[in-house]
Amino acid sequence: MRKILHIDMDAFYASVEQRDDRALRGRPVIVAWRGPRSVVCAASYEARRFGVRSAMPAVSAERLCPEAIFVAPDFSRYRAVSQQTREIFRRHTDRIEPLSLDEAYLDVTENKTGLPSATRVAETIRRQIREELRLTASAGVAPNKYLAKIASDWRKPDGLFVIRPQAAYDFLTPLPVGRLPGVGRVMEARLKRLGIATVGELRGQASTRLEASFGRFGRRLYELARGVDESEVEPNRPTQSLSAEDTVERDVRLSETEPIIRRLAEKVWTAARKERRRARTVVLKLKTSDFKLLTRSVTPASFPATSEELAGLALALRARVGLDARQRYRLVGVGLGNFREPEEVDQNRELFA
Amino acid sequence: MEITVRTTDLLKELLLIQGVVERKTTIPILSQLLVEAGGDGQIHLAATDLELAISTNCPAKIKKSGSGAVPARKLLDYVRLLPDADLSIKLLENHYVQLRCGRASTRMVGMSRENFPELAAFPSTPPARIPGAVLARMIRKTIFAIASEEARYTLNGAQMVLKPESIALVATDGHRLAHVADDHTAIEGVPAEIRCLVPRKAMVELQKLIDELPEGGTVEFGQDETNLFFSLPLAGGGRRVLAARQLTGQFPNYEAVLPKDNARVCVLPSEPLTQALRRVAQFADERSHAVKLRLEKDHLTLTSSSSEAGEADEELDTPYQGEPMVIGFNSQYLLDFLAVAGSEEVRLELKDEQSAGQFRPQGGDGDQYRYIVMPMRI
């Protein structure tokens, strides 16, 4: 049986800001660029009480919490702190799979310090982060990655939760299916139409029925419902691509996709800022109402430097779709690919920096 | 409508207008050419892609006035194949258009002109009058620096500044900037100052139109809330008018990035520098086109290397007295400038390896021309 940790820093960027600026402590802090289309990168727990969430438009956040202090993100600092958390992880294991600057999976089936249990490792890591970095992290301990991730969220913030192998079944039974990885809003609605709202109800389904309804993902649902997830913790897995996509509630025409594309571009851009490497290729993905998938991509001479540029490039790709203007689409996605080391791309400097 | 035109006269106008005909047929009427015959011995032709519109005219014998929409591409392809002869064009029932030339005859499927977009008319306010040759020269010196990536929207055109005694054009793609000004030329009809963003595609089409202008010809410029208009007289009477939808948005504050203290200066002969750059660029990285410029006492060395192709270097003499330095540039950016600099020698003015370099013609045609290029990380 494997022992997997998921460590998730609490309100990471906002916490770093509060740590480094006494005046921000105890106050609602929102990390976001100022701008009409900007989205929240992080919100302190004080701000979350007002309903502010990451990835929501900064203007909405301001409306919810007018007294919030807006801080422009400083990713170089966040990256440096993230590096320090990795060093703490590395004292315990080399099998670390960072998901972003603020979360990582650790495989501690064997750990370097000889601590007797995964729970003790998680406690130690949390204590070291608190004492050395003066930040808090939540940890999930479980026999696989997806359960560890659900667990770290369970006692957030500053919490620890353990899902023991023998308890996984009962733990999962009452959970809404939306907690399972890969089950988004639309999938959740489809399951609901089949009378499946909880993981327990999902478990009641024959794998053949799930596969008939959902194809290969049906098989995955069957396993997830039983707490099975064989995916390995993969250290040093460099990001190949990043994307955000949205299945729309009502199929839209291409001409109506601009607000969706802008929102997705902002989201992808925020995620890409967490990468040291930079993406060269911009991808627009669309699924027609009759489930035909199409992608268009462009690799500009200089890689996109702002989220507006990313949005602009994705919007421009619409001209290359080439289907009838009346065609409707059920899914829109914006992606970045072809990540390169910054020094690999001998980049032309910007005139208007 | 029934008219007769000379095929060569018509072909010339069809070629000029073709650039704004929509090639993708998302909106079918935009692939059509509007043809109108009035009582003035001219047929009027117009096409638009909704961003740009060109209207022009062509002398004709008018038997019967009227108007219709004709597929622009098909008409061009057909007329191109006809000999220099009289061509009769006649509108038939159901938007058919009959063409007859000698023993050749065709019936083309046209469309109702009712669907053709309304074209904006040149404003009634007195126009600014710009010498065609000056405008063409300035377009040539800036157009290559306009961003071609659609994302950098406000950079997708050049800023034109007209004053009573000067004209200037500025274009940038965020990595380089071309600025050209002529303050020896009086621009009639400019009360104080006019600033506008001219879309790149309008500049391309305008260049073609100016090429057809007789020597010493003038371009009349006007604008309304949404469009810029350039009107050029035709030798046979009438005018060719280009209307371009104005780009909205803010042109970047370029004055702030113009270098002021680039003290490391060298002067180089344009042609040998161009040749050397072309050769060295053969071995530059295919995507970045990076070349290194190493300045040392009395000479400049160009070097390049690519993991696939190999490497190259070449040395040029220049009376340089400053500190030695190495700076990387996109060779294509430099060649773009050298192709239009219009002088025997060029000045290269640098500060350090991270700051923008400035290139200027030494002597030349009297334009105040400066080209600012950001270096590459090397």
Side-chain angles (χ1 to χ4, degrees):
Chain A
M1 189 58 74
R2 293 182 299 157
K3 297 171 182 173
I4 310 294
L5 306 188
H6 180 252
I7 310 282
D8 193 357
M9 302 297 290
D10 301 321
F12 182 52
Y13 310 153
S15 302
V16 171
E17 296 297 343
Q18 287 181 318
R19 180 192 73 173
D20 296 347
D21 182 353
R22 191 177 293 277
L24 299 177
R25 291 185 204 159
R27 305 187 56 184
V29 173
I30 294 174
V31 179
W33 286 278
R34 284 277 184 181
R37 289 224 175 74
S38 143
V39 295
V40 174
C41 295
S44 73
Y45 283 90
E46 295 85 352
R48 292 187 193 198
R49 275 200 284 279
F50 293 87
V52 178
R53 295 284 176 272
S54 25
M56 87 171 18
V59 271
S60 320
E62 200 168 358
R63 217 171 297 132
L64 287 170
C65 183
E67 60 264 51
I69 303 166
F70 276 76
V71 181
D74 176 1
F75 280 96
S76 56
R77 200 148 43 94
Y78 309 150
R79 236 172 253 132
V81 180
S82 175
Q83 204 51 49
Q84 294 171 323
T85 63
R86 303 252 164 99
E87 275 154 29
I88 292 176
F89 301 159
R90 220 167 287 130
R91 294 174 204 164
H92 302 272
T93 178
D94 289 326
R95 299 183 57 81
I96 303 165
E97 179 181 334
L99 291 176
S100 61
L101 288 185
D102 55 356
E103 46 177 323
Y105 289 119
L106 281 63
D107 186 332
V108 296
T109 314
E110 286 167 32
N111 77 72
K112 293 192 202 170
T113 54
L115 287 167
S117 71
T119 308
R120 289 289 297 281
V121 175
E123 279 169 352
T124 312
I125 288 175
R126 279 181 7 91
R127 194 187 68 235
Q128 287 168 335
I129 289 174
R130 185 169 55 244
E131 287 171 1
E132 295 171 33
L133 307 180
R134 289 183 294 124
L135 292 167
T136 63
S138 296
V141 184
N144 63 44
K145 279 162 70 172
Y146 101 88
L147 287 174
K149 182 151 177 154
I150 293 177
S152 72
D153 201 36
W154 207 250
R155 292 278 183 264
K156 221 167 167 39
D158 198 13
L160 170 70
F161 190 73
V162 183
I163 300 177
R164 291 182 205 291
Q166 59 276 21
Y169 235 74
D170 292 341
F171 174 79
L172 285 169
T173 304
L175 291 190
V177 284
R179 293 299 291 255
L180 299 178
V183 180
R185 214 158 22 84
V186 170
M187 177 63 78
E188 196 169 4
R190 284 178 71 192
L191 285 164
K192 198 156 261 169
R193 279 199 292 277
L194 298 174
I196 304 167
T198 66
V199 178
E201 284 158 359
L202 183 62
R203 203 180 289 141
Q205 304 295 320
S207 88
T208 46
R209 181 173 184 221
L210 290 174
E211 274 172 75
S213 304
F214 303 105
R216 217 161 37 167
F217 191 66
R219 178 77 215 167
R220 170 102 171 131
L221 283 173
Y222 182 83
E223 291 178 353
L224 291 174
R226 284 156 183 77
V228 175
D229 174 21
E230 301 291 351
S231 59
E232 294 280 333
V233 170
E234 289 179 54
N236 321 317
R237 185 169 66 177
T239 304
Q240 303 302 326
S241 63
L242 277 174
S243 66
E245 53 188 54
D246 203 356
T247 305
V248 289
E249 296 188 20
R250 183 184 54 81
D251 292 2
V252 292
R253 290 186 182 181
L254 199 57
S255 57
E256 300 168 309
T257 53
E258 173 159 354
I260 307 171
I261 289 174
R262 289 204 181 274
R263 184 165 45 74
L264 294 172
E266 190 74 47
K267 206 166 153 186
V268 174
W269 190 253
T270 306
R273 292 293 298 241
K274 298 180 180 180
E275 293 289 328
R276 194 168 60 85
R277 304 189 315 156
R278 302 188 61 184
R280 289 196 52 223
T281 302
V282 176
V283 185
L284 176 70
K285 177 175 166 186
L286 292 161
K287 199 184 271 177
T288 62
S289 44
D290 49 345
F291 290 87
K292 253 205 323 267
L293 190 68
L294 39 126
T295 60
R296 296 288 181 272
S297 67
V298 60
T299 304
S302 59
F303 40 32
T306 64
S307 76
E308 285 75 39
E309 255 189 78
L310 169 60
L313 289 163
L315 288 168
L317 282 172
R318 294 188 301 178
R320 302 212 332 239
V321 168
L323 296 185
D324 193 290
R326 281 163 304 189
Q327 175 67 50
R328 289 181 182 276
Y329 300 88
R330 65 190 321 275
L331 176 142
V332 182
V334 174
L336 280 171
N338 203 353
F339 278 81
R340 297 292 176 84
E341 296 295 332
E343 50 274 15
E344 235 179 289
V345 193
D346 37 4
Q347 190 212 349
N348 215 101
R349 292 172 189 275
E350 295 287 329
L351 200 48
F352 306 95
Chain B
M1 184 187 85
E2 193 177 348
I3 54 124
T4 307
V5 286
R6 199 72 198 168
T7 48
T8 40
D9 293 344
L10 180 62
L11 182 59
K12 185 171 182 181
E13 303 309 319
L14 291 179
L15 285 168
L16 281 172
I17 220 165
Q18 212 58 221
V20 301
V21 174
E22 187 71 52
R23 242 150 267 232
K24 291 167 227 139
T25 51
T26 41
I27 307 176
I29 191 71
L30 298 185
S31 64
Q32 308 281 307
L33 185 74
L34 180 64
V35 184
E36 289 178 311
D40 57 355
Q42 300 273 349
I43 52 166
H44 298 266
L45 308 167
T48 180
D49 60 7
L50 300 180
E51 298 290 326
L52 292 184
I54 294 180
S55 58
T56 180
N57 45 272
C58 172
K61 285 195 222 60
I62 317 273
K63 273 196 199 143
K64 197 176 156 205
S65 58
S67 64
V70 190
R73 188 76 218 177
K74 205 47 151 187
L75 182 63
L76 171 67
D77 289 345
Y78 189 74
V79 171
R80 219 179 219 159
L81 299 172
L82 293 173
D84 180 13
D86 282 338
L87 168 72
S88 88
I89 304 177
K90 187 178 173 186
L91 286 190
L92 309 174
E93 294 281 293
N94 296 324
H95 316 307
Y96 274 108
V97 185
Q98 184 187 64
L99 266 57
R100 284 188 163 175
C101 181
R103 298 164 76 173
S105 168
T106 177
R107 226 160 57 110
M108 295 171 67
V109 184
M111 288 177 79
S112 164
R113 73 140 300 167
E114 305 309 315
N115 298 327
F116 202 83
E118 184 83 28
L119 296 175
F122 199 95
S124 52
T125 47
R129 295 170 55 81
I130 310 167
V134 173
L135 186 55
R137 201 172 68 222
M138 298 187 121
I139 290 176
R140 206 171 56 239
K141 286 179 177 174
T142 50
I143 193 164
F144 59 87
I146 297 175
S148 56
E149 289 153 24
E150 285 149 51
R152 299 180 172 222
Y153 185 64
T154 54
L155 304 183
N156 227 313
Q159 179 173 260
M160 183 168 77
V161 183
L162 298 176
K163 291 182 187 171
E165 69 298 330
S166 72
I167 168 170
L169 237 60
V170 197
T172 179
D173 63 4
H175 296 306
R176 53 176 167 167
L177 181 147
H179 179 280
V180 61
D182 178 335
D183 49 14
H184 315 298
T185 301
I187 310 294
E188 291 168 39
V190 181
E193 183 184 283
I194 297 171
R195 258 172 208 263
C196 58
L197 275 177
V198 188
R200 183 179 179 281
K201 196 168 172 214
M203 291 167 73
V204 173
E205 298 304 325
L206 189 53
Q207 256 181 328
K208 291 188 212 161
L209 297 180
I210 295 174
D211 282 347
E212 295 295 325
L213 204 59
E215 206 168 303
T218 301
V219 177
E220 294 189 351
F221 169 78
Q223 59 179 335
D224 63 18
E225 253 134 63
T226 45
N227 290 294
L228 305 174
F229 298 88
F230 298 88
S231 168
L232 299 85
L234 264 159
R239 306 193 74 88
R240 297 190 182 112
V241 179
L242 170 72
R245 207 156 67 193
Q246 295 211 38
L247 296 177
T248 49
Q250 194 65 42
F251 196 75
N253 177 20
Y254 68 89
E255 276 102 345
V257 301
L258 299 178
K260 285 169 196 67
D261 47 358
N262 280 13
R264 292 167 167 172
V265 178
C266 69
V267 175
L268 292 146
S270 311
E271 190 52 29
L273 174 61
T274 306
Q275 296 304 337
L277 258 173
R278 283 207 187 117
R279 283 187 286 265
V280 172
Q282 291 295 316
F283 292 86
D285 178 86
E286 264 182 42
R287 197 179 39 75
S288 73
H289 306 291
V291 291
K292 283 186 209 173
L293 281 65
R294 192 167 69 234
L295 264 174
E296 285 156 313
K297 187 171 164 18
D298 292 332
H299 55 259
L300 169 73
T301 312
L302 307 173
T303 61
S304 64
S305 70
S306 115
S307 48
E308 287 112 49
E311 51 201 49
D313 64 85
E314 189 154 343
E315 206 177 282
L316 291 153
D317 291 330
T318 172
Y320 177 72
Q321 300 300 327
E323 288 284 299
M325 70 176 283
V326 183
I327 188 166
F329 285 114
N330 179 329
S331 54
Q332 193 51 53
Y333 288 4
L334 306 192
L335 289 168
D336 286 346
F337 165 79
L338 289 165
V340 297
S343 61
E344 295 273 303
E345 292 180 312
V346 291
R347 275 169 79 83
L348 166 55
E349 302 163 1
L350 302 171
K351 186 181 177 195
D352 54 42
E353 36 291 298
Q354 286 116 43
S355 307
Q358 175 162 270
F359 294 78
R360 291 198 284 175
Q362 176 92 330
D365 54 20
D367 281 343
Q368 290 177 33
Y369 185 27
R370 56 206 296 195
Y371 182 59
I372 289 105
V373 194
M374 282 308 280
M376 305 188 82
R377 289 173 224 280
I378 49 172

